[in-house]
Amino acid sequence: MKCSELEDAADGWGRASNRADAARDRIDKQLLAGLAASQEGEAAEAAVTRLRELSRNFQYVYTECGLVRTTLNSFAFELRGTQRKLVDALDDAEVLKFTVHEDGSVSFPAGGENALTREELPGGKAAGSAVPPLLAPPPAFTGPSPNPNAAKAQDIADRIARAVSEARAVDLQYTGTLRKLTAQDGLKVTDAMWTDASGDATAVRDLASDYLADAIPGDKTPAERKAWWDGLTQEEREEYLAVYPDRIGNMDGIPSEVRDAANRDNLQLLMGKLEGQGDEKSQTRLAGLRSIDAQLRAGGNPPMYLLGIGDEGNGRAIVAYGNPDTARNVSAYVPGLGTALDEDFAKNDLKRARDTAVGAQKYDESSAAIVWLGYDAPQAPDSEKLTGNFAVMGTAQAERGAPAYNSFMSGLEATNQNDDVHLTAIGHSYGSRTVGAAAQQEGGIPGADDIILVGSPGVGVDRAEDLGVAKDHVFVGAAENDPVTKLPSKQQVALAVAAGPAGAYFGGEAGDVGDDDLWFGKDPASEAFGARRFEVADGPRPFLDGDGAAPAHSNYFNPEKDLVSADNVALIVSGKPQYIKGNEWR
């Protein structure tokens, strides 16, 4: 068996995969960009539609050919292991001058002597067994002093049998997987084909665990992961990207352009997986993924980078506007209550990050902004069914999300190419509680120079300086008509319940009984907390001027609805907080 022939074949599939990837890259970055810049009208729109379909087809070719390459390389890797076992057994037979027959049996010469007759014991032949020694029955008693060569021959014959048996099992397993890696005839890659590709990727990952997965440094620091990636050969990187885009794309410490490429591929596999699931949750998530995919394909400025995507929990998505590895100023915003991987997130939360990036780039072009949905934000209870998730009332979700956020920020530090990158942590609504939990971990938020809290119900500490940065580097925005920033403290609620009807605080002031405590601690906009409060618009009043109970809660990043707040956020993110418009403490 020449394992190198399998590896040569794998190289050929790798070249095909790389050609498809290069073709897709040319379509996305040259042809589509050129059309958008120079052409208008129905013909241009039709060409864009066709080119996007062609790009998706090349992405499918890239994925499937990459899976074939890794399957063949993993096949050769495993066969080499069984081949070494066989060769070791044959070498031992040669040293002992035993004869190995074509069927794997081993002949051994005469040796030792009969204790009674003093005659030399005859030689013989040992037939191998693939059953492991611990499971095999004990050898039959053959006399007081058997030929010492017999046991050695039996051991060699058994090792030969096990090696051949393992090779047959490996061959059967890989042959079955390779036969599944087929595509339908035709020029169009359908959603059903991506569903099939998702299954293919899962099968190949299971096979390649020894060959590739075991070396992925999932338990290392982001800096150590970056060093691991930097030390790989180009071929090794290509294989990891083809087979494990989910793990590479979501691993802090991997360069942003690599994560983006991996996650765009994983996005297609996730959509293919969800296409085959008809439940409401899967379809809601699929709609969100499709919206993100459409925005990625449409391109734009600042360019989008997909730094994380996944379907665990309520869904995961991390999107940057601007390259966070080359930008001097980088912010990472954590959304709050009700955020999940759905169309609303893809529409509104992505826009908040984009508005922040565009605003910051007005003051420093080298700025990037990120929305980080890397945790399970609490979901609003279903008031009609009296069921749902009341986690927003507690800190568990924030405490669980904090280590993941800090790992992400540490990854930004590791991959950024500037000597002293300016990092800003932003928490909105319950996301501010998550940022607060992250800041209270040992060492604080890695690399954070500034912290922005908007629409906050409290962050879990009573003083700004307890967030791991100097208090004049903690900035707070609280709209007058945002009831979330006036949520009463737990003590106030207890007193109100004991006293009689409560809940009128949604009107603005009724919930305030004269202290600075909110649900999660001291009011960040209060003098007692000590942060720098910046000016924001009052915003529409609950129920009266807008939709729902808290229309002012969502305007902090939006220059169309609150220009002064969005501009203040942009100034802080771009490293120019001295120019913000301040506001009096509460």
Side-chain angles (χ1 to χ4, degrees), residues 99-135:
T99 301
V100 178
H101 300 282
E102 192 170 323
D103 64 357
S105 60
V106 178
S107 293
F108 57 91
E113 65 177 23
N114 188 301
L116 299 176
T117 65
R118 303 297 182 183
E119 294 178 352
E120 187 175 38
L121 294 170
K125 180 187 288 188
S129 171
V131 179
L134 292 178
L135 301 179

Side-chain angles (χ1 to χ4, degrees), residues 280-304:
E280 183 179 354
K281 181 179 179 181
S282 295
Q283 293 306 303
T284 297
R285 192 161 297 170
L286 179 60
L289 291 175
R290 283 174 172 164
S291 180
I292 293 173
D293 182 56
Q295 293 178 57
L296 287 166
R297 291 184 181 279
N301 190 36
M304 289 176 67

Side-chain angles (χ1 to χ4, degrees), residues 27 32 35 41-57 188 297:
I27 290 171
L32 286 173
L35 273 173
E42 293 183 8
E45 291 175 1
V48 166
T49 299
R50 295 281 296 276
L51 283 170
R52 283 179 177 161
E53 184 175 293
L54 184 59
S55 172
R56 191 166 185 245
N57 289 359
K188 181 176 176 60
R297 291 184 181 279

Side-chain angles (χ1 to χ4, degrees), residues 312-316 339 373-379 389 397-398 401 430:
E312 61 267 35
N314 294 325
R316 301 287 186 267
T339 310
L373 182 59
Y375 81 122
D376 283 331
Q379 301 302 295
N389 183 347
Q397 306 289 67
Y430 187 89

Side-chain angles (χ1 to χ4, degrees), residues 406-417:
N406 280 350
S407 174
F408 178 75
M409 295 295 277
S410 181
L412 292 180
E413 264 198 310
T415 59
N416 190 275
Q417 298 167 16

Side-chain angles (χ1 to χ4, degrees), residues 96 98 106-108 124-127 148-158:
L96 294 169
F98 293 173
V106 178
S107 293
F108 57 91
K125 180 187 288 188
N149 291 323
K152 297 176 183 177
Q154 188 63 57
D155 174 66
I156 292 172
D158 289 345

